[in-house]
Amino acid sequence: MRVLVTGGAGYIGSLAVWRLLALGHTVSVVDNLANGSLAAVQSAEDLAGRAADFVQADIRDTDLLIRLLRDVQPQAVLHFAGLKSVAESVALPLRYYDHNVQGSLSLLRAMQETAVRRIIFSSSATVYGQAARAPFAETSPIEPVNPYGRSKWMVEMMLRDFCAADPAFSAVALRYFNPVGAHPSGRLGEWVAGAPNNLLPYIIGVVQERFERVRIFGDDYPTPDGSGVRDYIHVLDLVEGHCAALQVGPGFSVYNLGTGIGYSVHEVIRAMQVACERAIPHEVVERRSGDVAISIADPARARHDLGWQAQYDLMAMCRDAWRFAEQHPNGYGRVAAGAS
Ligand SMILES: NC(=O)c1ccc[n+]([C@@H]2O[C@H](COP(=O)([O-])OP(=O)(O)OC[C@H]3O[C@@H](n4cnc5c(N)ncnc54)[C@H](O)[C@@H]3O)[C@@H](O)[C@H]2O)c1
């Protein structure tokens, strides 16, 4: 297949680029490099032993996307490009609606103009918000509690409406739970500049002595050890979910991508301590507003329709994440953007 990957220089996108190339697909990447790195694309190419085309551009530039889609003529678009910090979305909501909603609208316009009729969209479990009871099925109540989650929900609704208007169009929204881990070689993974919102990158920051200690937000939740429980999914499993979703027929579909297993904050800290072979300082602080006690996927629909099931456990996630972190103590570094 010819596949266009938006946001392919980012964490999950670069692993998807690697996997698509390794499977023999022809891959083009568009990324504005705001939070991504050319070095990630390069590593994906090295690991796969094949090259992708790279275009540095913003997906909000519809005319450029139209030219790119005409040129590439992809059979599918994997749409990862977007901003992902919940905290930043609360402080800068318009920035999130601009990149995530306006960016997706621009992409859909360009796809309509060039008759590209298949998209796989990176949605998020944050759309479930506080109204749902874990495990969350795709039919669970939707009530995102922050602008980031709302931006994902808006794009899902846009895709649903667009599919209703064009029966030949296929849109799959994949609701990721908590993607973690890295390529087992340690060459592709996640690095967050500044203070990460997510637990695992924060723990790694503590191990690397960028932060003093892990803050556990509340230990009085109705969970076995009182800390919040989340469904962590290895990024390799996530990428396989995208490959499986490439086969979905026309219409709008939505799938949870999670393991169905929850781990508490204490359990994740213990697993990381084993992975990196050192003690990780931590302290319990006040609950964080907007956090739910338990967020776990019901992955039955993806298993049934896509034949997809997560394979990796928490230890593999921690070991792979740590291997990448050890090899990239400062991330990929900023690579000069000289691509065409
Ligand atoms: N990582 C997670 O925890 C998580 C969870 C649920 C959903 N998601 C979604 O998955 C997608 C990928 O996440 P990630 O963790 O790889 O994030 P990331 O920040 O590592 O990658 C996103 C990429 O998109 C690019 N980008 C952002 N805005 C752009 C624009 N307007 N035009 C072109 N490129 C743009 C960035 O430069 C970056 O390379 C995002 O849409 C995110 O919201 C991520």
Side-chain angles (χ1 to χ4, degrees), residues 7 9-13 30-36 57-60 80-84 99 122-124 148 152 176-177 179 190 198:
Y11 168 39
I12 304 167
V30 58
D31 196 300
N32 65 1
L33 297 181
N35 292 319
D58 197 295
I59 58 163
R60 293 167 298 170
F80 297 98
L83 304 177
K84 65 170 177 179
H99 283 265
S122 303
S123 189
S124 165
Y148 169 71
K152 292 293 178 188
Y176 308 165
F177 276 67
E190 180 176 29
N198 297 342

Side-chain angles (χ1 to χ4, degrees), residues 18 21 41 61 68 74 82 84 92 114 124 139 154 173 220-221 228 231 250 255 272 293 295 323-324 335:
W18 156 71
L21 286 173
V41 180
D61 184 342
L68 180 63
K84 65 170 177 179
L92 302 169
T114 54
S124 165
T139 48
M154 286 177 190
D220 55 353
Y221 285 109
D231 184 333
Y255 294 103
M272 267 311 290
S295 169
R323 195 173 300 115
F324 175 80
V335 177

Side-chain angles (χ1 to χ4, degrees), residues 45-126:
E45 293 177 330
D46 292 347
L47 285 167
R50 296 181 57 230
D53 286 327
F54 180 82
V55 176
Q56 184 180 351
D58 197 295
I59 58 163
R60 293 167 298 170
D61 184 342
T62 314
D63 291 339
L64 184 141
L65 282 186
I66 290 172
R67 289 198 299 277
L68 180 63
L69 288 170
R70 283 216 172 103
D71 192 30
V72 173
Q73 298 191 3
Q75 282 117 346
V77 176
L78 262 55
H79 178 29
F80 297 98
L83 304 177
K84 65 170 177 179
S85 160
V86 167
E88 190 189 42
S89 82
V90 174
L92 302 169
L94 297 188
R95 183 165 146 76
Y96 274 67
Y97 293 123
D98 192 13
H99 283 265
N100 293 3
V101 181
Q102 174 62 29
S104 299
L105 180 60
S106 164
L107 176 62
L108 274 182
R109 281 211 177 101
M111 289 176 71
Q112 183 181 42
E113 183 70 25
T114 54
V116 175
R117 290 204 167 96
R118 181 181 292 277
I119 187 169
I120 298 176
F121 170 61
S122 303
S123 189
S124 165
T126 52

